[in-house]
Amino acid sequence: MNVEALLTAQLGRTLSATDFPALGQKYQGKVRDTYRQGDRLVLITTDRLSAFDHVLTTLPFKGDLLNQLAHFWFAKTAHVVKNHVLDMPDPCVIVGRAAKPFAIEFVVRGYLTGSLWRDYEAGRDPYALKLPAGLKNSQRFETPILTPSTKAPIGQHDEPLSEAQVVERGLLGARDWQRAKEAALALFREGQAWAATRGLILVDTKYEFGTIGDELVVIDEMHTPDSSRFWDAGEYPGRFARGEAQKMLDKENLRQWLITKRGFQGQGTPPAIPDEVRVSLAKTYVAAFEQICGRSFSMVSEDATARLTRNLKAAKLI
Ligand SMILES: Nc1ncnc2c1ncn2[C@@H]1O[C@H](COP(=O)(O)OP(=O)(O)OP(=O)(O)O)[C@@H](O)[C@H]1O
Ligand SMILES: [Mg+2]
């Protein structure tokens, strides 16, 4: 079967919820179900898809894909910044060390696009960046910039912050801010360098950090098409020169569909997502995975809960 047929066949078997009380205390995020027992976390990446802070639908094999891709990047960048990963007992599960999470999302941007472009075009400067006038859509920054935001509770929207506000509001101490900022920029450099060898541009991304004891660790996920933008590097110069949209291998495809086809930007009731949009986005995610990792993405159709139960048992987690 080709990729599209495999994805379509899986539409009715996606993983939208989990229930493993034996794993510990459950916290349900938008995408991950996190079970905590002491200082150990079991993070199950479900197939849930969120955009503009709403869970909208599921995508076939998204949990497996995101989790394995995050694991790939954590391994690749462990020499730059320590991370929470201990083990991957199932394609959609990471066992990690529980950290004290910082209340800030560290967004690093290499290019002027997305919400930052929309702000810039409208004359808004919520991050107090004081960008020069005359920049173009999708223009590369001389050096990547940081646009932090609050980590809003479920159902609320993250709020942009200037660098000064992070410390002034007491969201983070000056030392933690400084070292997490340096870590974010270093991880981003590493990610961009790898992406470049694979014909991709890592455009921007979001990191979460926390501490274990006094050690700074990167947690949650890393450099996935949920948390990052990826563009086709070969297409970039021509499209930029012509003022065209970039070839995107990430969730921005869905955001653009929501904005242009449904007039949805996070306010009000989210629209239903048709199956062909689900398959098309899943295809984009598979393409991103395969291009980044340089290997094919395995899609085996099986009841997700049965597989999880088997693998969690084998790892003696339940
Ligand atoms: N090692 C870790 N230690 C502590 N918390 C972690 C760790 N790794 C991830 N988390 C937290 O677990 C949750 C993962 O869930 P998910 O990614 O679905 O959340 P989200 O939708 O990004 O955010 P929210 O929690 O606001 O729903 C996040 O709140 C994340 O901060
Ligand atoms: Mg998250």
Side-chain angles (χ1 to χ4, degrees), residues 184-205:
L185 294 170
L187 289 171
F188 191 69
R189 274 195 298 276
E190 199 72 15
Q192 281 206 317
W194 177 258
T197 68
R198 310 290 317 164
L200 288 172
I201 297 174
L202 174 61
V203 177
D204 48 36
T205 197

Side-chain angles (χ1 to χ4, degrees), residues 276-295:
E276 56 271 25
V277 175
R278 294 169 70 203
V279 170
S280 154
L281 187 61
K283 240 173 110 176
T284 304
Y285 274 41
V286 171
F289 178 100
E290 296 189 338
Q291 199 164 339
I292 292 164
C293 300
R295 65 178 168 91

Side-chain angles (χ1 to χ4, degrees), residues 27-34 36 41 43 48 50 84 96-101 105 151-154 158 206 208 212 217-221:
Y27 167 80
Q28 182 166 330
K30 286 183 288 286
V31 174
R32 269 156 278 272
D33 287 353
T34 304
R36 185 178 183 135
L41 283 186
L43 293 118
R48 297 192 292 265
S50 75
H84 69 172
R97 298 181 289 160
K100 225 165 93 197
E105 307 215 325
K151 238 181 91 58
I154 244 172
D158 295 338
K206 180 220 60 171
E208 292 185 34
I212 300 172
V217 283
V218 55
I219 61 173
D220 203 43
E221 64 179 325

